[in-house]
Amino acid sequence: MKHKTVLIDDLLISMKETAYACGKILLDDKLDSLIIQEKTSSRDVVTQYDIAVQKTVVETLGKIFPNAAFFSEECNDNTDIMAELVFVIDPIDGTMNFVKGLRHSCVSIACFCFGEPVVGVVYNPYDNELFSAAKGKAAFLNDMPIHVSDSCLSDTLALFGTSPYNADVLNDTFEKARLVYEKSLDLRRMGSAALDICYVACGRAGLYFEASLSLWDYAAAAVILTEAGGELCDFQGAALRLDGVKSSVIAGNRRTIEESGLLL
Ligand code: LIP
């Protein structure tokens, strides 16, 4: 058991240091020399900065933990998510915000042990805010403890995502957005799922939802929200998928999730 505790502490320290280093890459952006490549559509792009951050994470953590595997938005071929040590990476969550200079993006790094998420780190370099958590050890923002709001939905802001990579969920998303808008103080679409979930974790918002997300979008923030006393489920009320298949996501406290009317 001690070995596992030491490993978890080592993971947390190394992941935080790596996230800080990657934050410097985002801050050093030369937006006038961006190389933007389309992936599945004009809404789904990757830049040289995504690749540079991913390379930094893989090289840094791979040197410290040589037996680790990596499952990243920009490179996830044949990674066994059930392996002993897997880092799940979104090099830049909020890529379109980054491309447009909207300065609301983050580096998201999760660590899975045998398929169980045990450490999450989400770093927004623009605000110098590092959200972190290790399973069973509470959640922190810049090393200060955080906890979800215990307010009812009508007293909180709600956040959502538009799943721009999946046009099939467009109508359903905006029907849900209206439903939640009418039950909350107001609605925000900020553009980074990981930061949205972390904002719920620290009580800035009471609820977040999005119809279709990849594991790397929510893996790290899910550890942080859970350790901050929050809950996550999919639109059917089931536990989020951790096998790499896309999932819908609702994040909040039990009360706001039930009050939202989002559960099918
Ligand atoms: C993005 C999410 C966002 C979602 C987009 C995309 P990316 O992550 O943070 O909330 O709406 O579809 O998944 O692609 O910028 O890492």
Side-chain angles (χ1 to χ4, degrees):
M1 190 60 181
K2 174 134 174 57
H3 167 69
K4 188 170 180 182
T5 303
V6 169
L7 175 61
I8 294 286
D9 291 344
D10 291 346
L11 283 166
L12 188 55
I13 292 165
S14 304
M15 289 164 68
K16 287 167 73 173
E17 289 172 352
T18 302
Y20 279 125
C22 292
K24 293 187 172 72
I25 297 173
L26 270 66
L27 292 177
D28 185 36
D29 61 29
K30 308 277 188 296
L31 293 182
D32 54 358
S33 62
L34 268 184
I35 301 166
I36 303 169
Q37 290 179 302
E38 279 194 17
K39 295 194 293 188
T40 59
S41 75
S42 58
R43 298 172 190 263
D44 185 9
V45 298
V46 61
T47 74
Q48 73 268 38
Y49 288 87
D50 298 83
I51 303 304
V53 168
Q54 174 180 272
K55 184 170 181 287
T56 300
V57 176
V58 171
E59 288 180 353
T60 306
L61 294 177
K63 194 175 295 181
I64 303 166
F65 304 98
N67 62 323
F70 295 86
F71 184 78
S72 171
E73 179 171 12
E74 310 311 338
C75 173
N76 51 68
D77 305 331
N78 307 319
T79 302
D80 175 8
I81 200 73
M82 296 301 289
E84 180 182 1
L85 201 62
V86 181
F87 290 103
V88 178
I89 310 164
D90 192 339
I92 303 179
D93 188 58
T95 298
M96 194 55 79
N97 284 352
F98 175 75
V99 166
K100 297 302 182 183
L102 207 58
R103 300 176 76 79
H104 181 79
S105 306
C106 63
V107 179
S108 176
I109 309 170
C111 184
F112 283 39
C113 289
F114 296 112
E116 179 192 9
V118 293
V119 181
V121 170
V122 173
Y123 180 51
N124 175 353
Y126 303 110
D127 297 339
N128 191 29
E129 289 191 329
L130 189 137
F131 297 88
S132 64
K135 189 171 175 61
K137 292 184 168 229
F140 298 88
L141 166 53
N142 291 350
D143 296 329
M144 294 299 290
I146 57 174
H147 199 271
V148 293
S149 162
D150 58 8
S151 298
C152 58
L153 184 56
S154 60
D155 286 343
T156 64
L157 289 172
L159 310 174
F160 78 114
T162 54
S163 305
Y165 310 160
N166 184 344
D168 297 346
V169 299
L170 178 63
N171 292 334
D172 182 54
T173 291
F174 282 93
E175 283 172 18
K176 285 179 165 63
R178 182 185 176 92
L179 176 74
V180 171
Y181 170 74
E182 291 171 337
K183 296 178 180 218
S184 63
L185 280 180
D186 203 346
L187 207 50
R188 299 284 188 272
R189 186 336 185 217
M190 310 277 281
S192 164
L195 286 177
D196 287 343
I197 296 169
C198 286
Y199 282 16
V200 175
C202 68
R204 291 174 181 167
L207 185 83
Y208 160 77
F209 74 90
E210 188 148 6
S212 176
L213 278 179
S214 296
L215 180 61
W216 48 74
D217 290 317
Y218 59 80
V223 179
I224 295 162
L225 179 82
T226 304
E227 294 305 322
E231 296 191 15
L232 299 109
C233 61
D234 66 12
F235 284 178
Q236 285 69 41
L240 294 190
R241 299 191 67 136
L242 298 175
D243 58 3
V245 175
K246 283 192 176 236
S247 176
S248 54
V249 176
I250 308 174
N253 61 48
R254 174 44 51 191
R255 182 177 181 182
T256 56
I257 292 173
E258 286 173 355
E259 289 171 340
S260 69
L262 291 174
L263 292 177
L264 302 177

mmCIF file of all heavy atoms in Angstrom, residues 133-139 146-147 222-230:
data_model
loop_
_atom_site.group_PDB
_atom_site.id
_atom_site.type_symbol
_atom_site.label_atom_id
_atom_site.label_comp_id
_atom_site.label_asym_id
_atom_site.label_seq_id
_atom_site.Cartn_x
_atom_site.Cartn_y
_atom_site.Cartn_z
ATOM 1 N N ALA A 133 -5.856 16.740 -8.476
ATOM 2 C CA ALA A 133 -6.432 15.817 -7.488
ATOM 3 C C ALA A 133 -5.830 14.433 -7.682
ATOM 4 O O ALA A 133 -5.469 14.054 -8.786
ATOM 5 C CB ALA A 133 -7.949 15.739 -7.633
ATOM 6 N N ALA A 134 -5.692 13.733 -6.560
ATOM 7 C CA ALA A 134 -5.332 12.316 -6.578
ATOM 8 C C ALA A 134 -6.458 11.571 -5.874
ATOM 9 O O ALA A 134 -7.048 12.111 -4.913
ATOM 10 C CB ALA A 134 -4.011 12.079 -5.864
ATOM 11 N N LYS A 135 -6.782 10.399 -6.342
ATOM 12 C CA LYS A 135 -7.926 9.639 -5.813
ATOM 13 C C LYS A 135 -7.811 9.486 -4.301
ATOM 14 O O LYS A 135 -6.773 9.076 -3.791
ATOM 15 C CB LYS A 135 -7.966 8.262 -6.479
ATOM 16 C CG LYS A 135 -9.214 7.454 -6.183
ATOM 17 C CD LYS A 135 -9.263 6.192 -7.055
ATOM 18 C CE LYS A 135 -10.430 5.301 -6.687
ATOM 19 N NZ LYS A 135 -11.742 5.981 -6.873
ATOM 20 N N GLY A 136 -8.883 9.900 -3.607
ATOM 21 C CA GLY A 136 -8.928 9.768 -2.145
ATOM 22 C C GLY A 136 -8.166 10.840 -1.403
ATOM 23 O O GLY A 136 -8.060 10.804 -0.169
ATOM 24 N N LYS A 137 -7.630 11.854 -2.162
ATOM 25 C CA LYS A 137 -6.784 12.858 -1.471
ATOM 26 C C LYS A 137 -7.287 14.280 -1.667
ATOM 27 O O LYS A 137 -6.511 15.222 -1.613
ATOM 28 C CB LYS A 137 -5.342 12.734 -1.992
ATOM 29 C CG LYS A 137 -4.671 11.443 -1.587
ATOM 30 C CD LYS A 137 -3.215 11.426 -2.051
ATOM 31 C CE LYS A 137 -2.479 10.286 -1.414
ATOM 32 N NZ LYS A 137 -1.205 10.686 -0.822
ATOM 33 N N ALA A 138 -8.544 14.498 -1.978
ATOM 34 C CA ALA A 138 -9.132 15.841 -2.141
ATOM 35 C C ALA A 138 -8.673 16.505 -3.443
ATOM 36 O O ALA A 138 -7.784 15.997 -4.146
ATOM 37 C CB ALA A 138 -8.826 16.732 -0.939
ATOM 38 N N ALA A 139 -9.274 17.660 -3.704
ATOM 39 C CA ALA A 139 -9.001 18.404 -4.944
ATOM 40 C C ALA A 139 -8.516 19.809 -4.598
ATOM 41 O O ALA A 139 -8.898 20.369 -3.553
ATOM 42 C CB ALA A 139 -10.257 18.477 -5.801
ATOM 43 N N ILE A 146 -10.563 22.737 -2.889
ATOM 44 C CA ILE A 146 -11.783 23.205 -3.564
ATOM 45 C C ILE A 146 -12.907 22.203 -3.334
ATOM 46 O O ILE A 146 -12.664 21.018 -3.054
ATOM 47 C CB ILE A 146 -11.562 23.405 -5.086
ATOM 48 C CG1 ILE A 146 -11.061 22.138 -5.763
ATOM 49 C CG2 ILE A 146 -10.633 24.588 -5.341
ATOM 50 C CD1 ILE A 146 -10.958 22.244 -7.290
ATOM 51 N N HIS A 147 -14.139 22.710 -3.459
ATOM 52 C CA HIS A 147 -15.319 21.855 -3.295
ATOM 53 C C HIS A 147 -16.440 22.387 -4.182
ATOM 54 O O HIS A 147 -16.533 23.604 -4.419
ATOM 55 C CB HIS A 147 -15.776 21.858 -1.823
ATOM 56 C CG HIS A 147 -16.668 20.697 -1.477
ATOM 57 N ND1 HIS A 147 -18.040 20.757 -1.629
ATOM 58 C CD2 HIS A 147 -16.388 19.454 -1.037
ATOM 59 C CE1 HIS A 147 -18.562 19.595 -1.275
ATOM 60 N NE2 HIS A 147 -17.591 18.777 -0.905
ATOM 61 N N ALA A 222 -12.441 14.849 -14.398
ATOM 62 C CA ALA A 222 -13.365 13.962 -13.677
ATOM 63 C C ALA A 222 -12.785 13.552 -12.322
ATOM 64 O O ALA A 222 -13.513 13.495 -11.318
ATOM 65 C CB ALA A 222 -13.678 12.726 -14.521
ATOM 66 N N VAL A 223 -11.476 13.314 -12.271
ATOM 67 C CA VAL A 223 -10.832 12.980 -10.981
ATOM 68 C C VAL A 223 -10.957 14.179 -10.043
ATOM 69 O O VAL A 223 -11.309 14.050 -8.867
ATOM 70 C CB VAL A 223 -9.352 12.618 -11.186
ATOM 71 C CG1 VAL A 223 -8.688 12.308 -9.835
ATOM 72 C CG2 VAL A 223 -9.184 11.436 -12.127
ATOM 73 N N ILE A 224 -10.721 15.368 -10.582
ATOM 74 C CA ILE A 224 -10.752 16.612 -9.788
ATOM 75 C C ILE A 224 -12.166 16.868 -9.259
ATOM 76 O O ILE A 224 -12.368 17.137 -8.065
ATOM 77 C CB ILE A 224 -10.232 17.787 -10.629
ATOM 78 C CG1 ILE A 224 -8.742 17.581 -10.960
ATOM 79 C CG2 ILE A 224 -10.451 19.127 -9.911
ATOM 80 C CD1 ILE A 224 -8.226 18.417 -12.124
ATOM 81 N N LEU A 225 -13.161 16.732 -10.131
ATOM 82 C CA LEU A 225 -14.543 16.992 -9.696
ATOM 83 C C LEU A 225 -14.992 15.992 -8.640
ATOM 84 O O LEU A 225 -15.594 16.354 -7.626
ATOM 85 C CB LEU A 225 -15.500 16.926 -10.892
ATOM 86 C CG LEU A 225 -16.960 17.171 -10.495
ATOM 87 C CD1 LEU A 225 -17.240 18.660 -10.394
ATOM 88 C CD2 LEU A 225 -17.935 16.534 -11.450
ATOM 89 N N THR A 226 -14.663 14.713 -8.855
ATOM 90 C CA THR A 226 -15.061 13.672 -7.890
ATOM 91 C C THR A 226 -14.440 13.930 -6.522
ATOM 92 O O THR A 226 -15.112 13.887 -5.485
ATOM 93 C CB THR A 226 -14.648 12.279 -8.415
ATOM 94 O OG1 THR A 226 -15.219 12.087 -9.710
ATOM 95 C CG2 THR A 226 -15.103 11.187 -7.464
ATOM 96 N N GLU A 227 -13.158 14.269 -6.526
ATOM 97 C CA GLU A 227 -12.483 14.548 -5.242
ATOM 98 C C GLU A 227 -12.946 15.870 -4.622
ATOM 99 O O GLU A 227 -12.713 16.113 -3.440
ATOM 100 C CB GLU A 227 -10.962 14.562 -5.440
ATOM 101 C CG GLU A 227 -10.385 13.210 -5.810
ATOM 102 C CD GLU A 227 -10.750 12.119 -4.796
ATOM 103 O OE1 GLU A 227 -10.784 12.407 -3.574
ATOM 104 O OE2 GLU A 227 -11.035 10.996 -5.224
ATOM 105 N N ALA A 228 -13.627 16.708 -5.420
ATOM 106 C CA ALA A 228 -14.180 17.968 -4.889
ATOM 107 C C ALA A 228 -15.621 17.778 -4.424
ATOM 108 O O ALA A 228 -16.328 18.750 -4.139
ATOM 109 C CB ALA A 228 -14.115 19.054 -5.961
ATOM 110 N N GLY A 229 -16.062 16.525 -4.385
ATOM 111 C CA GLY A 229 -17.406 16.228 -3.882
ATOM 112 C C GLY A 229 -18.480 16.256 -4.932
ATOM 113 O O GLY A 229 -19.676 16.205 -4.620
ATOM 114 N N GLY A 230 -18.088 16.338 -6.184
ATOM 115 C CA GLY A 230 -19.071 16.389 -7.271
ATOM 116 C C GLY A 230 -19.376 15.017 -7.826
ATOM 117 O O GLY A 230 -18.831 14.015 -7.378
#
